[in-house]
Amino acid sequence: MEYGYSGKILRVDLSKGKITVDEPDDAFYRRYFGGSGFIGYFLLKEVAPDVDPLGSDNKLIFAGGPITGVPIAGSGRNSVGAKSPLTGGFGQAEVGGFWGAEFRHTAYDAIIVEGKAEHPVYLWIEDEKAEIKDARHLWGKTTLEVQKIIQKELGSTAIRVAQIGPAGENGVRYACIVNDVNHAAGRTGLGAVMGSKNLRAIAVRGHGKVPLADEKAVNSLAKWLRDDLKVNRGAVGMSENGTAGLLAAFSMIGGLPTRNFQQGSFEGAEKLSAAKINETILVKRGGCYACPIRCKPHVGADGQYKVDPAYGGPEYETLASLGSSCGIDNLEAVARGNQLCGAYGMDTISTGVSIAFAMECFEKGILTEKDTGGLKLSFGNAEAMVELIELIARREGFGEVLAEGSARAAKSIGKGAEELAMHVKGQEIPMHEPRYKQGLGFGYTVSPTGADHCHNMHDTIYERRIGSAGTAMGIYEPIPSQELSPRKVRLQLYGSLYQHVLNCLVFCQFVPFSSDKMIGLVNGITGWNTNLWELMKVGERVVNMSRAFNVRQGIDKADDFLPKRFLTRFDSGPLEGVSIKKKELEKALETYYSMAGWDSEGRPTSAKLEELDIGWVAEL
Amino acid sequence: MEYGYSGKILRVDLSKGKITVDEPDDAFYRRYFGGSGFIGYFLLKEVAPDVDPLGSDNKLIFAGGPITGVPIAGSGRNSVGAKSPLTGGFGQAEVGGFWGAEFRHTAYDAIIVEGKAEHPVYLWIEDEKAEIKDARHLWGKTTLEVQKIIQKELGSTAIRVAQIGPAGENGVRYACIVNDVNHAAGRTGLGAVMGSKNLRAIAVRGHGKVPLADEKAVNSLAKWLRDDLKVNRGAVGMSENGTAGLLAAFSMIGGLPTRNFQQGSFEGAEKLSAAKINETILVKRGGCYACPIRCKPHVGADGQYKVDPAYGGPEYETLASLGSSCGIDNLEAVARGNQLCGAYGMDTISTGVSIAFAMECFEKGILTEKDTGGLKLSFGNAEAMVELIELIARREGFGEVLAEGSARAAKSIGKGAEELAMHVKGQEIPMHEPRYKQGLGFGYTVSPTGADHCHNMHDTIYERRIGSAGTAMGIYEPIPSQELSPRKVRLQLYGSLYQHVLNCLVFCQFVPFSSDKMIGLVNGITGWNTNLWELMKVGERVVNMSRAFNVRQGIDKADDFLPKRFLTRFDSGPLEGVSIKKKELEKALETYYSMAGWDSEGRPTSAKLEELDIGWVAEL
């Protein structure tokens, strides 16, 4: 390969302790592009339907994209995938930070981890060199401790570490993989897969550079971005507030998940707001590789709740999931919870939603102190929330129940608990209210990973005006967020293809590049002549590969649902009376299947697979 | 509208003699883009299924596209549409020359002609002004005579004339509309529609300029094109030989329609070749508005067959249809036939294929001299071919039979003639052998206008290598021309969307712009941010609107066929033994419907229409 990719994919068999290199042809790179494209391809080809997600036959894939490692904003990310222990289906998550870039500076484009090591190990990759190292001394430690030890024993603080924490070791079904201790590949329980392989960490150091086909074009885009931030102040809101800026606004408009999605506004929202963070616990702002926006907070506290700024700080999803969703307005407690999730390696969304679920069960008498080991799981009980995170990570006491995820927990609890578990396909719903963003809510039902806010389009973007991003996709009129019509399904279909494009490029969705600029960047790096048509087809390829993976697992139409709560009207707040209508949801599903080229059971037709140039999928 | 379009569409009601102006909103222009997009929209909205193509309720639409009239190659064209008297379905054709550009320099973007004038009239548009003028003195005259008279009576040779000839006046079902006497909107019988409205001509003169959003970008593309031609010699083959360069090559490879598609090589090919034209009858080369390529020949002869260079000269389609397809190797006779078709306003493809059909009937004894009025219609009889063109245009003698098109003629002749009529949906097959280009051949079956080589992708382009045009569409591997597989259907689907994009932009397919450059041109003109995704969806919109138009007429799956000849093996020549296989064709159709989002009867699903943002079509 002349530009961009190295053409080498590392294959690490932990059972045999053997490391080999795959060298796919150029067409592989162009057809699957990177990130979730690679993941979709390898999972479908190599992980058979009877594979136990936590068994040695599952495969764990780390992948960069064409942009990864190029010194420009949005390029520090990587994608991780495996069969999910949370959903039993397609598992995939993206993560920011620096690890992805450092990895692409080694000789490899992706890593396929197979088998299971006899004892805890970690992987050490430096440029061409890759070796499996003993990690017995790391087991049980926090992520920050492990990172320090690895950097020390390998002799450089420039080394980047992607790792699991104790939660991953203990098989918590929503354990995550943590880069640089404060960036998480949070969703679908990939940390548990890594733990099940006895792989604690992947340490990387690369001295290479991603070759650029057109350095001038890339530099000019990097300059545009810096100017946009400084002169046009384009992403300045993200720079000043990060994603936390959403919280107060969502509460005001009635779309902030509150007390396990029972309400859409939280009376304590102001206490969790970006303004409050900036005013109180913010120590500094951080960011990802080569990005001038720096949307990530580092927070500290030294009162009842100790918070170490090394772990970053809560962003919107965490503020809402551990905060409003649990009825908690104690910012320091939420920051502490965030730190624990980082230290132990747990997805904050699934953690918060599972705790909120338990709280509602507790308030409704489905759970009692006897069940919870004495924990008073009332909404708003910050201490209980923090304590429960510890228990979950260690799978101790009631933590053992919640470590299975809210869907499994609800099943084991019984007594009507299942209606209170806010999940799709076993994955907990992120902090975007389906009744508020009805297209996104619908998107949760068909996303290959269950409820996922990174696979779907947020209605609010096209609610008031159609900017250049809309017209570029061929959307010409604004559509209200609380609408679930055929034209909304269209927006959702196109939008989800675009989101999957970002996940193949492994590009950050917050970098204010138009699709034209993003494509210019890809072409400037690779020397390709790609365009939005080709990329949307790449995205569609992933949507269909991941759907096919799920269908083969028996996950299909019956699993494309939303919890009943969202079909019930808000009984108060700015969105009082608003719900998703069952008939509209059913019709939307039918319309989506048809638009997507799937049969009435939601299975991709062989003609659709052929159209996407992945006819091989139909044969599986 | 700030750039590009004027926002004004002229509506001319010939019954009432009334001229009004429509002013669609901006979204109309963006959604339908131009050319066949406008035509698809207006025909579907305004021409009910029970309308007689040759009755006063049919509408005739002339439309430019966003590029039309900008001084850069490929921009002199316009599109014409109506319900087709040849197929009874969607009728549309494009045409080059200068008329389109001149028209866009008036105040209007398109013309909708309605009703029927009491006596022959012509339309005269100068800038804002539009008037209906008497044309009784023009009726019956050749196109060159009429053009001269109009230019004289309106006082300027700068006036451009689009007109029918006597064939259109006489309702020949494949009469065409002729721009500047040597460029034809040839297909689907639009000249007969114009004749049925008693509209002989539309004369235009515009002093305006298409405003440019980014003049520098447009100029730089124009410069690129000139340099490409002069320095890189990119389109130099077209410049030197025009499309005629194909003929000898096709014959050599076995894909030249010969003797009504009985053979694929013609022993007289060399006599009809570009080399021979350049050596013998070529007077000069001509071209279209603002185009440096100048692919069009002007030829002259003064022997047995008189040929006036004013009428241009035969291009590939004509050389093959009047030449090899009729077994004729007399270049001057073919040039004379070409001139007659231009003078009388008849599509050379349908004319040639209808004559070849009659010749085969004659040779097989299905027609005799009694039927033909004494004409010896043997293959190779150049005099008979020339004479028959005269008869058809005047609907005299046996010409009356053939003026109905080969499908209707075959039906009226009976005695097995139907198997010898080489048409799809009533439209005669152009000069690209379905057995040679099997994807294109398949494309004929689903094209909304019947057999049409401008709605489909030519297999040969992607037979040996995938250049940037292939990768831009997401095609990664070459596919043999003689293959009709699911991947070929995919290529055909994508390729036909792209061809329809060209027809919406009303852009010439021979200008060697990559899709990127073409899109850069559109954006430079309009200030839009369009891209290949949006444009392919525009193309798909037209494919579905035109399909819906046909479905409403009862034209559907049963009409998606190829003549049996193409399912029969060549019995000689370089492609001996090659045919389209019936099962593959049936399978391809099924695959195409499914890929296209159509039901098993070939009808667009309502979800597909909603996806294309034309849900209104489903209601019709």
Side-chain angles (χ1 to χ4, degrees), chain A residues 67 73-75 77 94-96 225 235 238 243 246 288 291 293 295 317 432 437 440 452-458 461 469 495-496 498-503 505-515 518:
Chain A
I67 292 168
S75 67
R77 301 173 71 78
E94 300 92 42
V95 48
L225 199 64
M238 280 298 283
T243 55
L246 295 172
C288 299
C291 182
I293 298 173
C295 69
E317 296 293 331
H432 302 271
K437 301 179 179 179
L440 181 75
D452 195 311
H453 63 294
C454 294
H455 287 167
N456 295 292
M457 185 55 70
H458 292 246
I461 299 173
S496 77
Y498 192 77
Q499 292 296 113
H500 283 279
V501 167
L502 292 175
N503 297 345
L505 302 181
V506 202
F507 193 60
C508 176
Q509 57 185 307
F510 295 131
V511 175
F513 274 166
S514 64
S515 53
M518 187 179 73

Side-chain angles (χ1 to χ4, degrees), chain A residues 208-481:
Chain A
K209 255 175 85 170
V210 178
L212 304 180
D214 183 349
E215 202 169 336
K216 225 167 119 181
V218 174
N219 289 341
S220 116
L221 285 163
K223 181 182 180 311
W224 180 90
L225 199 64
R226 288 191 303 271
D227 288 352
D228 183 60
L229 192 60
K230 283 185 199 155
V231 182
N232 309 323
R233 298 177 64 74
V236 83
M238 280 298 283
S239 223
E240 289 172 356
N241 297 322
T243 55
L246 295 172
L247 193 133
F250 280 2
S251 183
M252 199 181 315
I253 216 159
L256 179 67
T258 301
R259 293 184 194 83
N260 202 32
F261 293 89
Q262 292 183 96
Q263 295 94 39
S265 295
F266 182 43
E267 65 285 0
E270 195 268 327
K271 294 187 182 169
L272 299 172
S273 68
K276 189 61 78 181
I277 294 173
N278 292 351
E279 191 185 308
T280 56
I281 60 175
L282 187 73
V283 173
K284 61 172 184 177
R285 298 209 74 85
C288 299
Y289 174 74
C291 182
I293 298 173
R294 300 179 70 74
C295 69
K296 308 249 180 181
H298 286 264
V299 304
D302 204 20
Q304 181 186 356
Y305 299 104
K306 313 285 183 222
V307 181
D308 180 349
Y311 281 108
E315 299 179 63
Y316 169 71
E317 296 293 331
T318 309
L319 289 163
S321 58
L322 299 181
S324 59
S325 162
C326 293
I328 292 170
D329 63 6
N330 184 323
L331 183 57
E332 296 190 0
V334 170
R336 175 71 188 172
N338 178 70
Q339 169 169 329
L340 294 179
C341 286
Y344 300 149
M346 296 203 298
D347 176 34
T348 58
I349 298 173
S350 285
T351 302
V353 173
S354 294
I355 294 173
F357 152 75
M359 285 176 164
E360 189 176 354
C361 287
F362 189 85
E363 293 215 335
K364 296 208 159 130
I366 297 170
L367 288 173
T368 64
E369 284 184 51
K370 212 180 123 192
D371 302 304
T372 65
L375 275 181
K376 286 192 181 63
L377 282 180
S378 306
F379 283 116
N381 187 341
E383 283 180 40
M385 178 270 285
V386 171
E387 173 60 20
L388 195 43
I389 292 176
E390 299 268 6
L391 295 176
I392 294 168
R394 294 198 300 269
R395 278 189 174 269
E396 276 178 22
F398 183 62
E400 176 71 36
V401 177
L402 284 196
E404 290 291 292
S406 54
R408 284 179 176 80
K411 212 166 178 182
S412 71
I413 292 166
K415 295 180 271 182
E418 287 187 58
E419 281 201 12
L420 311 183
M422 297 295 114
H423 73 95
V424 177
K425 294 187 177 61
Q427 170 149 279
E428 287 74 15
I429 291 180
M431 295 298 106
H432 302 271
E433 235 297 341
R435 284 166 289 190
Y436 170 44
K437 301 179 179 179
Q438 299 203 353
L440 181 75
F442 167 72
Y444 291 159
T445 70
V446 290
S447 159
T449 56
D452 195 311
H453 63 294
C454 294
H455 287 167
N456 295 292
M457 185 55 70
H458 292 246
D459 306 54
T460 40
I461 299 173
Y462 298 114
E463 184 175 49
R464 286 179 211 289
R465 56 181 289 278
I466 294 299
S468 63
T471 52
M473 279 199 294
I475 309 282
Y476 304 118
E477 280 117 0
I479 311 176
S481 291

Side-chain angles (χ1 to χ4, degrees), chain A residues 476-477 490 494 534 611, chain B residues 31 476 490 494 534 611:
Chain A
Y476 304 118
E477 280 117 0
R490 170 177 187 258
Y494 285 11
E534 189 192 7
E611 189 236 298
Chain B
R31 196 176 270 121
Y476 303 119
R490 171 178 186 258
Y494 286 11
E534 190 192 5
E611 189 236 297

Side-chain angles (χ1 to χ4, degrees), chain B residues 235-281:
Chain B
V236 82
M238 279 299 281
S239 222
E240 290 173 355
N241 297 322
T243 55
L246 295 171
L247 193 135
F250 281 1
S251 182
M252 200 180 313
I253 217 159
L256 179 68
T258 301
R259 293 183 195 86
N260 202 31
F261 294 90
Q262 293 183 97
Q263 296 95 37
S265 295
F266 181 44
E267 66 285 358
E270 196 265 328
K271 294 187 183 167
L272 299 171
S273 68
K276 188 62 75 182
I277 293 173
N278 293 351
E279 193 185 305
T280 57
I281 60 175

Side-chain angles (χ1 to χ4, degrees), chain A residues 25 27 30-31 33 467-469 471-477 486-487 490 493-494 497 515-516 523 529-534 536-538 540-541 587 590-591 594-595 597 605-608 610-613, chain B residues 25 27 30-31 33 467-469 471-477 486-487 490 493-494 497 515-516 523 529-534 536-538 540-541 587 590-591 594-595 597 605-608 610-613:
Chain A
D25 62 13
R30 187 81 188 241
R31 195 176 271 122
F33 250 85
S468 63
T471 52
M473 279 199 294
I475 309 282
Y476 304 118
E477 280 117 0
R487 67 180 183 158
R490 170 177 187 258
L493 177 71
Y494 285 11
L497 298 184
S515 53
D516 273 1
N523 289 337
N529 64 331
T530 194
N531 55 67
L532 194 55
W533 165 262
E534 189 192 7
M536 292 288 262
K537 288 291 165 188
V538 167
E540 198 177 355
R541 216 165 269 144
K587 171 74 184 158
E590 191 187 304
T591 304
S594 184
M595 280 188 188
T605 61
S606 59
K608 172 50 78 176
E610 291 284 2
E611 189 236 298
L612 295 170
D613 203 17
Chain B
D25 62 12
R30 188 81 188 242
R31 196 176 270 121
F33 251 84
S468 63
T471 53
M473 280 199 293
I475 309 283
Y476 303 119
E477 279 116 2
R487 66 180 184 157
R490 171 178 186 258
L493 177 71
Y494 286 11
L497 297 185
S515 53
D516 273 0
N523 289 336
N529 64 330
T530 196
N531 55 67
L532 194 55
W533 165 262
E534 190 192 5
M536 291 289 262
K537 288 292 164 185
V538 167
E540 200 177 353
R541 215 165 271 144
K587 171 76 184 156
E590 190 187 306
T591 303
S594 185
M595 282 187 186
T605 62
S606 58
K608 172 49 80 178
E610 291 284 0
E611 189 236 297
L612 295 171
D613 204 17

